[in-house]
Amino acid sequence: MFLKKNNFSSTEEITGWGLYPRFNVLKKNPKNIDELTEAAKTPSLIARGNGRSYGDSSINKVNTIDMKNFNRFLHFDESEGLLVAEAGVLLKDVIDTFLPRGWFPSVTPGTKYVTIGGMVAANVHGKNHKNSGSFGNYVHWIEIINIDGEIVRCSRNENSDLFFWTLGGMGLTGIILNVAFFLKSVKTAWIKETTLVAKNISEAFRFFEDNLNSPYSVAWIDCYTKGKSLGRSLVMLGEHAKINEIDFKNKSNPLKSPKKRRISIPFYFPPFILTKFNVRIFNFFYFLNGRIGRRTKLVEWDTFFYPLDKISNWNKIYGKKGFAQFQCVIPLTNSKKAITELLNCISNSKSFSFLAVLKRFGTETSYFSFPMEGYSLALDFPINSNNLLLMKVLDEITVKYGGRFYLAKDSRIKKNIFEKSDNRISEFRKYRQNKIQKKFSSIQSDRLNL
Amino acid sequence: MRKNVLLVLGASSDIGMSVAKKFAQEGFDIQLAGRNSYNLENHCTDLGIRYKVNANFYELDALDFNSHEKFVRSLPILPNVVVSCIGLLGDQSESELKIKKNVTVIRTNFEGVVSLFSIFANYFIDRGNGTLIGISSVAGDRGRASNYIYGSAKAGLNAFLSGLRNRLFSYGVNVLTVKPGYVTTKMTSGLKLPKALTTNPEKVAYCIYKAYKNKKDVLYVLPIWKFIMIFIILIPESIFKKMQL
């Protein structure tokens, strides 16, 4: 029972959030800048944050550099909400620290357990992309360890090429070290949430387009419905509540959030728990709840933005083999047609997916980020041969309608499909060719030859 | 009212950082002492931004005994609580070969802390209050083949803290011995730790703060370790020596 240091190998099995695929890799955990620059001397490497990308984006077989020790706030300017943080700082820490002072992230993904470096690398989007764009829009500057091991600062005015390729560049332009970004001012920790029940996908689209002014919007789609009720969904709209809108008892401390416990899943769910039947029952109650619940209510920020974070390792519910998330965005003109076709394809297959998430995106703002104006659909599939085949079909449909894929979620797309989906790839390759391409690479970038 | 002050010795350790964060969260001003100034100055900035407290860094070499008195006098405010996270695990197999390294492990884990705590003890007696918290280890409860160098230093530390507690009690000064068990830190990175026996630095910090508030004497962060160690201590030496532990 007592331990001996394993001197022979320091390899470690790591995966993305999807627990698929798994790799044995050499990982380094530099503690300070000297150790980091030393670790960055190997010919091939990738930086890794909290491992919340789903696939192989943050994994390099010979040198995966864990940035979690770089987790300090370096500066905060109260007058304009400008925060300078090391790349390994978790978004959760940003919220815990600054929400009580009236600041909230301008853009947030669906989990608060991401690092700021990861948010830059994937140029993450949130439920407010249609009006507010990606996280990169609020980044003031980035400091990067470049190919020569030097720390370079880049921004819209300084080394702007590096800046715009780094936003959404999946860590393939260098090691993101420090990030300066703007938080936005909020008056309360509460969100005014309105839930609309859409009978089918056309109605869901109508709800989105009718509510473009609502700051946040997202739809949860039941993937089992067919025919007329295909795409039955709950469309959730939200906005930050003002002081006069919140309950009396919270008014004395409008920025305080109630303490909640996180549930954790102690083991991998065996396959019989997530069957089509059980998921159907879950969805039935979920929608019943949406229908009978109050249409407009106040919810605290955690429930609205991070419902899944309540279960600390929900990725285990898909079992030991893991899961993959399919996420695409379809240009606005084709959105309805393409997403109807995707949903049809899913509901007719033998596969099952819990819930699909539909979001409206606004215009594209950086060189290589995922979003474009249109609609984005995301769903999880447990790994098995049927589902992998189904996702291939979904890939084809996406490409047919001019859509593209989210690298932060991808663990399995084929190179030729990816090339067809994104014509910016050749520019990115040109930027990275020769030196950078060899130095900064992940298993994903090798797979897709980025 | 003036804020309470926590001094962390060996602050670049993960447990040290977590303890600093926890106490800062509870409103303490923070003094961080250790080597590796680059890291610690950033940590001070971070604590200042996060918890709106004063946090400052002071250079300290635990092995430079002659400098300790000067170090304590150089602190602008005598802290209310001192926690020592000074520790060096070393590598047992290497230790057997390189006697010099053994000595460093012993001197760091034991002598360094003894020297600093003895000085603080005298100041605290004069003031009539204060708390000394020593991070020790379950490894100090019985020497085992796998890490008896580290273990013996921690055993010495346990005895020292126990004696110090005995001496300082009547002066209103508390001494807390902390035995964390396995903790996922930089010190243990690369070791395969059994999950049920392992905790994280945040949990350790939380328990230390609670134990400090309750004026506890000895803290096993995970209660299971208390039972394991009682069991291990009870094994007769004639059997124990044949076991590969």
Side-chain angles (χ1 to χ4, degrees):
Chain A
M1 67 178 269
F2 293 100
L3 312 161
K4 283 190 184 139
K5 210 154 208 164
N6 187 350
N7 288 327
F8 303 105
S9 110
S10 49
T11 63
E12 193 178 320
E13 188 188 76
I14 56 176
T15 70
W17 183 242
L19 304 172
Y20 166 90
R22 291 169 186 264
F23 295 100
N24 272 310
V25 304
L26 287 162
K27 199 164 145 228
K28 288 188 183 137
N29 300 288
K31 295 190 281 287
N32 55 37
I33 192 73
D34 297 333
E35 289 185 21
L36 178 61
T37 39
E38 190 59 38
K41 280 183 184 157
T42 53
S44 164
L45 64 94
I46 194 80
R48 178 177 170 93
N50 203 26
R52 285 294 174 130
S53 59
Y54 282 53
D56 44 8
S57 324
S58 63
I59 305 176
N60 177 304
K61 276 199 174 152
V62 290
N63 191 5
T64 299
I65 300 183
D66 190 322
M67 295 293 289
K68 283 209 293 293
N69 286 326
F70 295 83
N71 59 357
R72 289 156 300 205
F73 297 130
L74 301 178
H75 184 72
F76 184 62
D77 181 339
E78 300 259 1
S79 63
E80 45 179 5
L82 181 68
L83 175 64
V84 182
E86 291 183 325
V89 165
L90 288 181
L91 184 60
K92 175 188 184 296
D93 288 352
V94 175
I95 299 171
D96 286 350
T97 307
F98 295 103
L99 181 57
R101 302 179 206 176
W103 300 97
F104 197 75
S106 307
V107 165
T108 168
T111 169
K112 55 186 180 293
Y113 294 95
V114 288
T115 59
I116 302 303
M119 288 172 75
V120 169
N123 198 8
V124 295
H125 59 269
K127 295 168 182 166
N128 57 352
H129 191 276
K130 59 189 186 309
N131 313 317
S132 305
S134 301
F135 181 66
N137 291 8
Y138 305 91
V139 174
H140 191 41
W141 51 256
I142 309 168
E143 277 173 347
I144 295 175
I145 299 184
N146 71 3
I147 182 97
D148 304 312
E150 293 158 353
I151 300 173
V152 216
R153 184 180 286 204
C154 62
S155 68
R156 283 172 185 78
N157 313 315
E158 193 181 354
N159 300 314
S160 62
D161 249 12
L162 177 61
F163 181 77
F164 285 110
W165 282 122
T166 298
L167 296 175
M170 302 308 288
L172 299 169
T173 57
I175 300 175
I176 300 166
L177 186 63
N178 298 319
V179 183
F181 59 104
F182 291 100
L183 300 173
K184 71 173 172 189
S185 154
V186 293
K187 295 282 172 267
T188 72
W190 298 82
I191 302 290
K192 208 166 79 183
E193 182 193 65
T194 307
T195 307
L196 306 168
V197 182
K199 287 199 272 308
N200 53 37
I201 192 71
S202 325
E203 203 175 36
F205 275 105
R206 194 163 55 77
F207 287 159
F208 270 108
E209 295 301 319
D210 288 351
N211 291 291
L212 284 180
N213 291 328
S214 172
Y216 299 101
S217 58
V218 64
W220 295 76
I221 304 178
D222 179 352
C223 294
Y224 284 120
T225 48
K226 289 187 187 183
K228 260 196 200 158
S229 52
L230 179 83
R232 175 176 74 149
S233 43
L234 298 179
V235 181
M236 263 95 96
L237 310 172
E239 56 186 290
H240 292 279
K242 299 184 195 80
I243 295 216
N244 56 12
E245 290 170 332
I246 61 174
D247 301 344
F248 181 73
K249 64 174 173 136
N250 295 317
K251 258 185 193 153
S252 56
N253 204 347
L255 292 162
K256 196 182 160 202
S257 14
K259 266 217 165 113
K260 292 213 167 165
R261 277 194 71 165
R262 278 176 95 196
I263 308 160
S264 100
I265 296 177
F267 53 83
Y268 292 102
F269 274 22
F272 62 81
I273 291 183
L274 271 194
T275 59
K276 205 162 180 169
F277 179 70
N278 289 349
V279 172
R280 271 191 153 148
I281 290 178
F282 173 83
N283 280 2
F284 173 78
F285 283 108
Y286 192 81
F287 278 84
L288 193 69
N289 185 27
R291 190 157 299 178
I292 60 179
R294 266 194 296 160
R295 288 295 162 86
T296 298
K297 58 180 176 186
L298 280 171
V299 293
E300 101 273 22
W301 58 275
D302 212 7
T303 309
F304 183 78
F305 290 104
Y306 314 108
L308 289 171
D309 282 348
K310 286 191 181 143
I311 307 166
S312 64
N313 42 7
W314 62 263
N315 53 349
K316 283 188 177 173
I317 65 170
Y318 290 100
K320 225 170 187 165
K321 279 188 184 165
F323 68 102
Q325 183 169 91
F326 171 86
Q327 182 168 6
C328 67
V329 55
I330 310 282
L332 197 53
T333 44
N334 293 338
S335 289
K336 204 164 155 182
K337 210 169 155 201
I339 284 170
T340 311
E341 195 169 328
L342 289 167
L343 289 174
N344 253 321
C345 182
I346 295 157
S347 71
N348 290 330
S349 75
K350 282 192 186 124
S351 305
F352 62 88
S353 179
F354 243 124
L355 288 161
V357 175
L358 185 68
K359 283 189 292 257
R360 172 75 154 82
F361 282 173
T363 43
E364 184 171 325
T365 46
S366 80
Y367 293 0
F368 198 55
S369 309
F370 164 63
M372 63 164 111
E373 177 145 40
Y375 280 85
S376 158
L377 182 73
L379 9 83
D380 297 339
F381 294 102
I383 296 293
N384 61 41
S385 50
N386 276 341
N387 286 344
L388 286 170
L389 261 172
L390 171 69
M391 281 188 276
K392 271 190 188 160
V393 179
L394 302 180
D395 292 347
E396 300 280 352
I397 299 172
T398 305
V399 170
K400 187 170 84 186
Y401 290 101
R404 67 165 81 120
F405 306 99
Y406 194 8
L407 287 174
K409 302 290 178 69
D410 160 56
S411 55
R412 39 135 227 121
I413 289 170
K414 295 275 175 294
K415 191 178 104 188
N416 60 337
I417 293 281
F418 191 76
E419 278 168 346
K420 273 193 240 166
S421 75
D422 204 329
N423 52 23
R424 304 168 302 174
I425 190 173
S426 55
E427 284 295 307
F428 191 49
R429 278 178 183 156
K430 210 154 87 204
Y431 179 76
R432 273 172 43 81
Q433 72 190 356
N434 303 327
K435 267 168 70 187
I436 303 184
Q437 192 171 18
K438 282 196 197 107
K439 177 93 179 177
F440 301 109
S441 67
S442 60
I443 292 176
Q444 179 177 56
S445 78
D446 290 345
R447 173 163 54 84
L448 301 172
N449 187 25
L450 292 177
Chain B
M1 201 184 81
R2 220 190 61 203
K3 273 184 178 176
N4 283 335
V5 178
L6 168 81
L7 166 66
V8 184
L9 306 170
S12 56
S13 82
D14 289 326
I15 292 181
M17 258 341 288
S18 296
V19 171
K21 278 186 176 173
K22 178 66 194 165
F23 277 72
Q25 200 180 8
E26 301 291 342
F28 278 69
D29 279 337
I30 305 293
Q31 301 170 336
L32 300 182
R35 287 172 303 173
N36 199 350
S37 57
Y38 179 89
N39 246 342
L40 291 174
E41 257 150 27
N42 276 358
H43 275 307
C44 289
T45 317
D46 179 76
L47 289 169
I49 296 173
R50 241 177 243 255
Y51 305 108
K52 292 193 163 172
V53 297
N54 291 316
N56 294 295
F57 164 69
Y58 304 92
E59 189 104 35
L60 169 69
D61 182 352
L63 291 177
D64 183 6
F65 305 128
N66 291 328
S67 71
H68 289 173
E69 179 71 44
K70 206 174 124 209
F71 160 77
V72 177
R73 263 190 275 122
S74 76
L75 296 172
I77 302 168
L78 185 65
N80 304 78
V81 182
V82 180
V83 55
S84 160
C85 303
I86 297 167
L88 178 66
L89 183 56
D91 185 332
Q92 182 74 33
S93 54
E94 198 177 32
S95 300
E96 281 159 10
L97 298 172
K98 295 184 186 156
I99 293 163
K100 262 196 181 156
K101 283 210 167 163
N102 290 350
V103 173
T104 315
V105 170
I106 303 266
R107 298 190 76 185
T108 311
N109 288 307
F110 182 55
E111 293 180 26
V113 188
V114 168
S115 162
L116 284 156
F117 270 20
S118 303
I119 297 168
F120 278 110
N122 293 335
Y123 279 96
F124 284 6
I125 287 172
D126 286 347
R127 193 176 56 186
N129 65 50
T131 302
L132 294 165
I133 304 173
I135 310 285
S136 186
S137 170
V138 296
D141 288 359
R142 190 165 192 177
R144 302 182 314 269
S146 57
N147 68 348
Y148 64 90
I149 302 294
Y150 176 78
S152 59
K154 290 297 195 186
L157 182 61
N158 288 345
F160 168 75
L161 292 172
S162 155
L164 194 65
R165 180 179 308 118
N166 203 206
R167 172 184 154 217
L168 297 182
F169 175 75
S170 54
Y171 296 98
V173 178
N174 291 302
V175 178
L176 170 65
T177 309
V178 183
K179 301 179 181 176
Y182 297 142
V183 188
T184 47
T185 61
K186 288 173 282 206
M187 194 195 245
T188 57
S189 71
L191 294 174
K192 290 199 173 15
L193 301 171
K195 241 186 170 173
L197 304 179
T198 308
T199 182
N200 56 46
E202 291 75 31
K203 176 87 197 288
V204 175
Y206 172 81
C207 293
I208 288 178
Y209 184 76
K210 228 172 78 182
Y212 153 73
K213 285 300 261 186
N214 297 334
K215 304 197 169 181
K216 272 187 80 164
D217 302 321
V218 180
L219 169 70
Y220 284 88
V221 174
L222 290 180
I224 184 167
W225 275 106
K226 193 168 182 176
F227 296 106
I228 293 176
M229 294 325 292
I230 287 174
F231 174 73
I232 287 179
I233 291 165
L234 285 175
I235 303 171
E237 192 67 24
S238 54
I239 301 173
F240 191 75
K241 70 178 178 192
K242 293 173 193 153
M243 297 167 82
Q244 284 295 314
L245 285 172

